[in-house]
């Protein structure tokens, strides 16, 4: 299995449990690894036969802003399902960091893996 990845995608969005968080935009950082087979794309140098990370990056940003949720866990689960279904991704590892959530920490967040590498 090959992996197409996106690291450090910064998205400003509204997310959080507390009332004050629902009124502001906060930065989230997305790191994503997507299991795929790149051989068909590499054979004839065809973007249409691989995972287009530029397009997927835009989808992530739009998805994060389309429906406000309280928890990173909810966003991660919903986004993973959306990407896997719409892009035929067999396995993914998604990390969402919230760098301003805990003053004493560089970042906090969640990491999920879905699907199979087989």
């Amino acid at each position: 299995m090959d992996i197409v990845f996106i690291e450090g995608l910064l998205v400003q969005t509204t997310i959080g449990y507390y009332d004050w968080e629902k009124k502001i935009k906060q930065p989230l950082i997305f790191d994503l690894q997507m299991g795929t087979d790149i051989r068909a794309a590499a054979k004839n140098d065809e973007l249409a036969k691989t995972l287009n990370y530029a397009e997927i990056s835009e989808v992530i940003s739009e998805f994060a802003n389309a429906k406000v949720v309280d928890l990173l866990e909810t966003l991660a689960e919903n986004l993973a399902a959306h990407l896997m279904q719409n892009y035929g991704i067999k396995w993914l590892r998604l990390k969402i960091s919230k760098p301003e959530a805990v003053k004493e920490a560089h970042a906090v967040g969640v990491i999920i893996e879905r699907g199979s590498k087989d």
Side-chain angles (χ1 to χ4, degrees):
M1 174 171 296
D2 306 310
I3 295 175
V4 173
F5 70 92
I6 299 166
E7 287 183 358
L9 177 65
L10 178 64
V11 175
Q12 296 287 336
T13 191
T14 302
I15 190 164
Y17 176 79
Y18 300 105
D19 287 338
W20 64 269
E21 290 182 292
K22 297 176 189 318
K23 298 174 185 171
I24 64 169
K25 296 267 188 184
Q26 298 183 70
L28 296 180
I29 299 171
F30 292 81
D31 296 301
L32 180 64
Q33 296 177 355
M34 300 167 284
T36 190
D37 186 339
I38 67 165
R39 289 177 286 192
K43 183 177 182 180
N44 293 313
D45 205 24
E46 294 180 68
L47 178 61
K49 292 185 178 178
T50 191
L51 296 172
N52 183 333
Y53 46 79
E55 177 184 324
I56 292 172
S57 295
E58 188 164 322
V59 167
I60 291 170
S61 181
E62 291 170 0
F63 192 93
N65 282 288
K67 182 180 176 196
V68 174
V69 296
D70 291 347
L71 302 176
L72 289 178
E73 291 84 346
T74 305
L75 177 57
E77 190 66 35
N78 293 345
L79 178 59
H82 177 77
L83 293 174
M84 292 179 82
Q85 179 179 354
N86 288 289
Y87 290 93
I89 299 167
K90 306 227 181 295
W91 170 86
L92 66 75
R93 180 179 187 270
L94 172 62
K95 175 182 175 184
I96 306 176
S97 302
K98 194 173 181 184
E100 297 177 2
V102 175
K103 186 172 126 179
E104 298 79 14
H106 175 72
V108 298
V110 298
I111 300 171
I112 66 170
E113 285 190 30
R114 297 294 178 266
S116 174
K117 286 186 174 180
D118 297 334

